[in-house]
Amino acid sequence: MTVYALKHPDGRWLYHLPKPEAFGTPGFGSTAKVTGVFADGQPMEQLHADWWATDHEAGRLAATAQPPAKTTGYRLTDSSAESVRYPATLTLEEWAERSDREGDALWQLYTNVREDQPALEHVYDGPVMVLEGREPPRPDEPQWVAQLPHMLTQRPEYRHLFPGHIPGLRKHLYEVIKAMPGVKYCFDGYQGKVGLHITVEVPFDQPVTRWQADISRRTSKPLKSGRTSKPLKSGRTSKPLKSGRTVRVYVSRSLDLPVPADVLADTYEQALQEWDWQIAFWLSVVTDAKVVACSACHGTGHVSEGSEKHSTSR
C-alpha cells in the first residue's frame, strides 16, 4: 500500500496512515484498538482523518493495536447450579449446539470465559509518495469538495490538491451578518434574487428625535357629578396616562449583495485564501453601509430646502 506524505512548512512530516485491515473494520465484528503509531520507534502525533505527524522523515512506519479479549468458553455463574444437564463449563462447540435449543436459558446460567490476546503490529512497508501542497483541511476549517475522476473520489490523501470548491460561503456570511449590530434584516434569496438582501438602521450624525404617541394604553375622561371611575373589565380603574414618548429616528438602508454560494479554485489552499478575502470584502460593504446619516439632507444625499438659491440656470 502506498503511503502519502506531506512536508509541512514548519518542518514536520505528515503521513497518511489508515487503520490496517488486520486491525478489523468497524461494524464488521471485533476490532483492535489502536494503541500507537510510530516513526522509527518514536510516537507520532495524531492529527485528523488518518494523518499523523513526526519531526523527521521516517524510515520505518508502524502501528500497534490491542485486540479485544477472545471468548474461549462458558462457565456457570453459580457453581451450586451444576448438574448433569448444566455442567460447570461448556466449550464453544457445546454452546453453539445447545444455544439454538435453549436460547436465553443458557445466558441466565452461564457467563463468558475470556482470554487476553497478544498485541498486534502492522508495518507500513509500501512506497512513500511525497505530495506538494498544504495539509488537508482540519475539521474546524472550511471543507473541500474536490472535482475528481470517479476512480479517485475515495482518495482523501490528496483530493484537497485537486480543483474543487469550498461550499457554504453565502450561508456562513448570512449567519455572521444577521448578528452584526445595526442589521435589522438579512435574507438569503429575498424575492427570488440570488444573494443576500440586508437592511441596516443607522442614526443621524446629529441625533434626530420625534414624538411617538402611545396608543397601547387607555386614558380616562373626566366623570360628571363627582362620580368615581368605573372598573374596567380587567378589574383595573382607568386613570390619566402619558400620551407618548420621544424616540430616536433612524435611517434604513437596503443592500443587495450577490454573494456566491461556494468558492471555486484549482486547489484548497487557493480557495481558502479566496474564502478569507470574500468574507472580509462583504463584511466591509455592510460595515460601510452603517455610516451615520447626514442630518442636513435627512439621509437622502441631497438638500431640497434652499436649493433654488444655488441654481445655475438663468
Side-chain angles (χ1 to χ4, degrees):
M1 177 190 298
T2 301
V3 174
Y4 294 90
L6 286 166
K7 187 175 182 180
H8 199 278
D10 63 10
R12 293 179 301 161
W13 280 78
L14 279 56
Y15 292 89
H16 186 266
L17 304 173
K19 188 175 181 179
E21 294 182 0
F23 290 178
T25 304
F28 294 88
S30 299
T31 59
K33 182 179 179 181
V34 176
T35 55
V37 177
F38 303 90
D40 300 321
Q42 300 180 11
M44 300 181 71
E45 174 191 1
Q46 185 174 10
L47 302 178
H48 57 89
D50 295 329
W51 284 92
W52 297 77
T54 183
D55 59 1
H56 66 283
E57 184 176 3
R60 184 180 188 272
L61 297 165
T64 58
Q66 179 60 54
K70 182 179 179 180
T71 297
T72 58
Y74 299 87
R75 63 175 176 81
L76 282 172
T77 305
D78 183 1
S79 58
S80 64
E82 182 179 357
S83 65
V84 175
R85 182 176 180 182
Y86 297 110
T89 61
L90 291 174
T91 65
L92 294 177
E93 293 75 15
E94 291 171 335
W95 178 273
E97 181 183 351
R98 297 180 59 171
S99 61
D100 292 338
R101 299 193 310 269
E102 303 180 49
D104 293 340
L106 289 180
W107 283 114
Q108 294 174 6
L109 295 171
Y110 289 86
T111 187
N112 302 53
V113 176
R114 295 179 178 273
E115 182 179 283
D116 291 337
Q117 300 298 298
L120 301 176
E121 182 185 51
H122 174 82
V123 177
Y124 296 90
D125 53 3
V128 176
M129 178 178 291
V130 180
L131 305 174
E132 296 182 4
R134 60 151 283 163
E135 63 183 290
R138 301 185 304 273
D140 59 342
E141 290 184 299
Q143 297 304 294
W144 183 244
V145 179
Q147 297 176 355
L148 287 171
H150 179 71
M151 67 181 64
L152 301 179
T153 54
Q154 302 303 315
R155 306 302 305 195
E157 306 94 325
Y158 48 72
R159 61 186 171 206
H160 66 290
L161 305 177
F162 280 76
H165 69 275
I166 299 177
L169 175 66
R170 188 161 64 231
K171 182 178 179 181
H172 174 75
L173 279 168
Y174 165 78
E175 296 293 339
V176 174
I177 291 174
K178 75 175 185 179
M180 293 176 66
V183 173
K184 186 176 183 180
Y185 304 114
C186 182
F187 299 106
D188 185 0
Y190 180 71
Q191 294 183 341
K193 296 180 181 179
V194 176
L196 299 179
H197 177 82
I198 302 160
T199 300
V200 297
E201 283 191 334
V202 297
F204 286 94
D205 53 1
Q206 298 297 325
V208 177
T209 61
R210 64 181 174 85
W211 180 258
Q212 177 175 297
D214 188 347
I215 62 174
S216 64
R217 307 171 69 182
R218 178 180 296 183
T219 58
S220 64
K221 295 182 179 180
L223 300 176
K224 296 179 180 180
S225 66
R227 292 179 298 164
T228 58
S229 302
K230 294 181 179 181
L232 301 177
K233 292 182 179 180
S234 62
R236 293 180 290 106
T237 302
S238 61
K239 58 182 180 179
L241 301 174
K242 294 178 64 176
S243 59
R245 59 193 176 94
T246 301
V247 296
R248 193 167 185 179
V249 177
Y250 292 85
V251 173
S252 293
R253 295 177 179 144
S254 295
L255 304 171
D256 287 305
L257 306 183
V259 180
D262 310 318
V263 175
L264 286 72
D266 290 336
T267 67
Y268 175 76
E269 187 171 15
Q270 295 175 8
L272 191 60
Q273 294 175 358
E274 179 67 14
W275 171 279
D276 293 338
W277 183 89
Q278 291 254 5
I279 290 176
F281 172 75
W282 293 117
L283 292 183
S284 69
V285 172
V286 178
T287 300
D288 291 344
K290 295 194 298 178
V291 65
V292 294
C294 172
S295 301
C297 67
H298 302 288
T300 62
H302 66 277
V303 179
S304 57
E305 297 181 5
S307 59
E308 65 280 355
K309 296 180 181 180
H310 305 282
S311 174
T312 57
S313 61
R314 295 182 180 179

